[in-house]
Amino acid sequence: MGVAWAWLAGTALQLQQEALWTTLAYSALGGTAITIGLLEAMRKKFQAPTWRWGFFVVSLVFGLAAFSVTGLRAVAFDTDRLDAALEGRDLRITGVVAELPQRNAAGLRLRLRVESARLDSGAPVAFPQRMDVGWYNGMAPASANASGWELQHQPQPVRPGERWEFTVRVKAPHGSSNPHGFDYELWLWEQGVQATGYVRAGAKDVRPQRLASTWLYPVAQLRQALRERIELHVFNTQAAGMLAALVIGDQGAIDRADWDVFRATGVAHLVSISGLHITMFAWLAAVCVRALWRRSSRLCHVLPAPSAALVGGLLLATMYAIFSGWGVPAQRTCMMLATVVLLRLMGARWPWTSVWMLACVLVVALDPWALLQAGFWLSFVSVGVLFASDSRSVDKQTLAPMHSAAKVARYGLGFLREQGRITLALAPLTVVLFGQVSLVGLLANVLAVPWVTLVLTPLAMLGAVVPALWSVAAWGIDLMMAVLQTMVAWPGAVWTLAVPPWWLALAAGVGALLLVLPLTWSFRLLGLPLVLGLVVWQPARPKPGEFEIVAADVGQGNAVLVRTATHALLYDAGARYSVESDAGNRVLVPLLSASQTPLQRMVLSHRDADHVGGAASVLALHSDADIWSSLDAAHPLLAKAPSVRCQKGQSWVWDGVVFEVLHPPAQDYTSEPQPKSNALSCVLRVQGSAQSALLAGDIEREQEAQLLNRGLAPATFLLVPHHGSKSSSSAEFLAAVAPTVAVVQAGYRNRYGHPAVEVRERYQALAEVRWVETASCGAFTWQSWLPVNGVCHRDQARRYWHWKG
């Protein structure tokens, strides 16, 4: 056990590094571990050490070894990083499709194993081995710097194992960096991806070409064929997506709305290839292998049928896990099954803690970065709780004299106890990871676990042989979704809590374990105050007269959260990335939920998609908020909440902080010709007791001049107009505002060239102005009571796999 904990600790410590050491440094550390181990082994020959000293030395050796091995692996992978000089260039890429293509309304997402990369001149260049490529539908810029648009060559059917040649605009992995947000760069790193890009498929670009079909990636080809069979036989896209997830592990086939339902009811683990599915498959496979093996006396002489059943069940379950995508839950289950099978074959009996920890260490040794994934912790903690609580309802001797109905009742009670313990034990973890606890989760799991495990999953698997069974499974999915959606609609179905600091989360986790372990109630109740600490904790808020600004990293778009002592305002809501994804659900909702910030008002500066794209997702969870905007009265967003048209002269006061609308004047809405949407941007000034902020939307030079003519007061914080476009930020405007901090929200390597070089230089030429770009800073947090200490989230959360600008 000590060795296992030491290995996990050494791995976890290495994952906290902001920058990698050299290969020599990690090798020296590994050599030190080996040397210490050898010296300790030699010392044991002459002097018997105390068990404490031996435990310390062994733990130190394995901890250093884990740190060294993980570091060496990271350095080796980092050498394949995309050359910065190639970013933003069009390369001719030849590669093989390595995984299932993911199709959505925007087009295709492909994972390529790159075979060659060439410049326009035909000269080859060194390139990472794996990359993610988007091949989009519809229109694209006519050229890198043109303002016109043209129809692209539309995506063609693509299959795993096919060799293609594309013209790709390449860039390094780069995702948004926000508090409590998804770490896209870590996800790509763990997947082995060191480059991304999109297919250049305009009329003047060389057409994408399918060069050949190969036998590479046969498992992915089989998964694709099975997914297509499911789509052919099941016309209900919702059911087809869930069946694909259950059979081949294609979770991308499930709609975002369905994922929201699964998370709110705590059953998301059931629609991925989890331990339940792998274990059930192993049991069924073992039963079949044993029955067939016993038919041959010759085979039984070579290997007894029970042993053959164990080995056969393990091998077939492992094959199924690989076929389904080899996710962390599947890996963990296969490692545990392998450990149990090996011990059975050896005739050994290990305590459950040793089996559990060995499986954990094996998973981390294969994939150290799994330690940073939510699925790893949810999976291992739930299994550990089941082991530790000894929650098996009854044994065979107890059940033997009982009536069958009584047996069912006892098993049912045991199942309820297991689900209750898991729900309680995982509650602190779900608060840390997701900022919420499903209050209907216990009931939902009691109903869904047997339904998915004993009905839907067997039907889904057997449908590969008898496709008609998929239609029956689809009916069962419809029934389950109807029940889950009803539960989600119940008042208080989900309890949202502020994400706590690590020390409080650790204490709450210990408290939850004390409550579920088979201890005396006097010890169990000690865990109650530790768990309650998680409930009562609230993050610090600004004092009256002060305010805090979080300029979120939403790519190309604006989204600024302003918080006072008891109120919150959102200025713009970022862009819509696809039919199922926008800045609201990906960035803003997690940000608001993690800090338990109730939103009272949303100011939408104007109608452009990069300012209102995430508004609907935010309003769905903050229905009490009203909207102030320059949107047309018929805009669909205005039907979702009470609305007010913003115009010069409006103002209100929250907690001693004054909010004032500076633009547009009322007559601009009726002037002829109708102004552009940018010209109607709502400009908001926030004035605290000592500092102020100016949120300028997409105004241009003409509107800046109008503000100057009306008398524009200086502001400490400035949201740079129009993402730093060269049509804004005139010298006169900057002289009047005289900001101390200027923040520009623009996408990384966006097609508009924002911020313009001359605009950046104009700001940087001003004395004592801090220039901040969210593309390189991530979310930027600024507080009026500490006006010179704004913080970039990328600096706070930097790790060695993150983008290096």
Side-chain angles (χ1 to χ4, degrees), residues 429-517:
L429 195 56
T430 57
V431 171
V432 172
L433 296 173
F434 309 117
Q436 65 181 32
V437 175
S438 175
L439 298 183
V440 298
L442 177 58
L443 177 60
N445 274 277
V446 166
L447 298 175
V449 166
W451 186 251
V452 172
T453 305
L454 302 178
V455 179
L456 296 184
T457 301
L459 287 173
M461 292 179 180
L462 292 173
V465 180
V466 185
L469 293 177
W470 282 331
S471 298
V472 180
W475 174 84
I477 289 171
D478 291 340
L479 178 61
M480 181 183 74
M481 291 304 301
V483 173
L484 294 179
Q485 288 167 354
T486 300
M487 290 184 178
V488 171
W490 291 349
V494 177
W495 186 16
T496 59
L497 295 167
V499 175
W502 68 268
W503 56 268
L504 185 58
L506 181 61
V510 172
L513 290 178
L514 287 175
L515 288 172
V516 301
L517 290 176

Side-chain angles (χ1 to χ4, degrees), residues 269-621:
H269 62 100
L270 294 176
V271 291
S272 59
I273 304 299
S274 66
L276 280 173
H277 302 103
I278 301 297
T279 303
M280 184 190 71
F281 188 91
W283 177 77
L284 290 174
V287 170
C288 294
V289 169
R290 181 169 183 168
L292 294 174
W293 199 271
R294 293 176 63 181
R295 292 177 176 272
S296 171
S297 58
R298 182 177 300 178
L299 291 176
C300 289
H301 283 296
V302 175
L303 184 67
S307 299
L310 290 173
V311 175
L314 173 63
L315 292 177
L316 291 173
T318 303
M319 291 173 61
Y320 172 56
I322 294 172
F323 181 76
S324 64
W326 197 237
V328 169
Q331 294 177 38
R332 181 261 302 162
T333 305
C334 288
M335 296 297 180
M336 286 191 174
L337 289 174
T339 304
V340 171
V341 168
L342 181 62
L343 293 175
R344 287 280 186 90
L345 294 177
M346 294 171 56
R349 290 186 176 274
W350 283 12
W352 71 264
T353 50
S354 298
V355 176
W356 181 69
M357 286 300 300
L358 177 60
C360 183
V361 168
L362 288 175
V363 170
V364 172
L366 290 174
D367 180 10
W369 300 278
L371 272 175
L372 301 174
Q373 301 297 335
F376 173 88
W377 293 101
L378 294 172
S379 176
F380 272 97
V381 170
S382 60
V383 172
V385 168
L386 286 177
F387 275 137
S389 61
D390 192 25
S391 56
R392 292 167 296 180
S393 56
V394 286
D395 59 28
K396 291 183 179 179
Q397 291 181 351
T398 304
L399 287 176
M402 297 176 63
H403 190 271
S404 58
K407 292 181 182 180
V408 171
R410 292 292 297 273
Y411 273 123
L413 290 174
F415 175 69
L416 285 174
R417 283 196 297 269
E418 288 178 358
Q419 290 300 319
R421 285 166 174 161
I422 291 175
T423 300
L424 180 57
L426 292 183
L429 195 56
T430 57
V431 171
V432 172
L433 296 173
F434 309 117
Q436 65 181 32
V437 175
S438 175
L439 298 183
V440 298
L442 177 58
L443 177 60
N445 274 277
V446 166
L447 298 175
V449 166
W451 186 251
V452 172
T453 305
L454 302 178
V455 179
L456 296 184
T457 301
L459 287 173
M461 292 179 180
L462 292 173
V465 180
V466 185
L469 293 177
W470 282 331
S471 298
V472 180
W475 174 84
I477 289 171
D478 291 340
L479 178 61
M480 181 183 74
M481 291 304 301
V483 173
L484 294 179
Q485 288 167 354
T486 300
M487 290 184 178
V488 171
W490 291 349
V494 177
W495 186 16
T496 59
L497 295 167
V499 175
W502 68 268
W503 56 268
L504 185 58
L506 181 61
V510 172
L513 290 178
L514 287 175
L515 288 172
V516 301
L517 290 176
L519 304 171
T520 62
W521 276 106
S522 58
F523 279 101
R524 289 190 183 189
L525 291 177
L526 292 176
L528 191 58
L530 297 178
V531 174
L532 290 178
L534 195 71
V535 177
V536 301
W537 182 83
Q538 288 293 324
R541 298 294 297 267
K543 296 179 180 179
E546 304 290 354
F547 63 98
E548 178 185 66
I549 286 179
V550 180
D553 182 7
V554 293
Q556 184 66 23
N558 280 157
V560 177
L561 178 63
V562 183
R563 287 189 284 216
T564 66
T566 61
H567 295 81
L569 173 145
L570 183 64
Y571 183 84
D572 284 339
R576 187 175 185 84
Y577 308 127
S578 67
V579 174
E580 296 186 347
S581 177
D582 56 60
N585 59 55
R586 278 177 49 176
V587 177
L588 301 176
V589 168
L591 181 63
L592 290 165
S593 299
S595 59
Q596 274 298 279
T597 300
L599 191 66
Q600 283 80 26
R601 181 157 298 162
M602 181 184 294
V603 176
L604 300 176
S605 63
H606 61 299
R607 67 172 182 260
D608 286 3
D610 57 334
H611 294 255
V612 303
S617 295
V618 175
L619 291 171
L621 293 179

Side-chain angles (χ1 to χ4, degrees), residues 739-743 768-772 777 780 788-792 795:
T740 302
V741 176
V743 177
E768 298 182 356
V769 174
R770 181 180 179 184
W771 172 260
V772 178
C777 166
F780 180 72
V788 296
N789 291 337
V791 177
C792 290
D795 294 338

